[in-house]
Amino acid sequence: MTPGQWLGLLGGGQLGRMFCHAAQAMGYQVMVLDPDLEGPAASVADKHLCAAYDDAQALDHLADYCQAFTTEFENVPAQSLAILARRGHVAPGARAVEIAQDRMIEKTFIQSLGVQVAPHIAVNTLKDLDHVPSSLFPGILKASRLGYDGKGQVRVASLEQAKHAYIDHLEQVAAVLEGMVPFVEEISVVLARGRDGQCVVFPPARNVHHHGILAVSHISGQPSKVYEQAVASAQTIAEGLGYHGVLCVEFFVLADGQVVVNEIAPRPHNSGHYTQNACVTSQFEQQVRAMSGLPLGSTELLAPCVMLNILGDVWFPYDTDERVEPDLASVLAIPNVSLHLYGKKEARPSRKMGHINVVDQNFANAVDRANEVVEILNLPIRASLSSH
Ligand code: AMP
């Protein structure tokens, strides 16, 4: 698939928008299938098919134009990817996406590869909770499907609370009860794997979440045993899936340095946004290269980086309905700051609106400058130097 041809994308969110930018920068045209009329990707796509992900006619139309397809959203019907696979190359494939769509299936699969996951039990009915060992409390009850950024999750301290939470929030849906992992930090590994099995791995990111949503990623570029272990596990998972495309694996790091997989995402990931300014190749360019069957790019880190997420809360500094434009000019006056906004018209609390990458050859300087941004935008989490 040489530049100039059409690439097909399922999903129209910010990841799709940044995919379009990367593809277009390389001379490709992108056709986006997304049911939302005004999604972030639709407004920059070369062509937008506004239809459901399983609309047979739309899939047919997509396949008439494009010979390679990808997704920016793990909850597209795997069946749609299987249909497109009959007409061209699909990266990632239906099976990998299907596994990542269901927490229980995903955990079972990862465990079967000898990679550690959080202790858990499937909860498909209220009765299943009677078999939960007490060691899983305190825990988190999570919907098996369609949860993200902490959505569809309830923290429970006891069996009684778990039962209430299940009845109130999750009855009739398949769920997983996970024991709370006493992690000392969270890290993630983004990799790209080609059709030929070639695998390239970006430097791991250390991530801090706020209310279940990524707030800050730190990429110091310092090697560590923990990172080596995480990279090896991520590669094992990619190989086990026969994966093709960009994959993210999120980990908890325990006090003894062991890593435990939290979840996987069969697409570029928020914690890989730093690659846009800090690496030779961005995760989105890598997605373009992988699906097109081109050689994968270098994942070399050009400079340490801090990535700050900008949520809609930034537009509502007084915790009221009063909307205030953030002082982005002051943010951009700070050296080495790159702003990425997703073009979302409406800012809402907790909604991902954009991110900021701060790069510097000296990681401590990147942290200091990131904290100047934190001050100006009144972000909830400060960047920090600490590491495992
Ligand atoms: P998730 O949507 O599953 O990635 O969860 C969002 C965030 O909630 C994670 O990044 C963790 O900070 C926290 N979390 C989720 N599951 C667990 C767990 N089993 N133990 C401790 N923290 C968790």
Side-chain angles (χ1 to χ4, degrees), residues 310 327-341 355-357 372-373 376-377:
I310 306 177
D327 183 4
L328 295 174
S330 294
V331 168
L332 289 169
I334 302 167
N336 300 8
V337 163
S338 298
L339 173 68
H340 301 259
L341 288 180
H355 63 274
I356 282 170
N357 288 328
E372 289 179 44
V373 178
I376 294 169
L377 297 181

Side-chain angles (χ1 to χ4, degrees), residues 103 140 142 149-150 153 155 178-181 183 186 209 212 252 262-263:
R103 288 187 190 277
I140 307 190
K142 300 182 178 178
D149 285 342
Q153 303 187 5
R155 294 184 179 220
E178 284 180 29
M180 236 19 213
V181 176
F183 61 80
E186 295 184 85
H209 294 81
F252 300 123
N262 173 18
E263 61 181 359

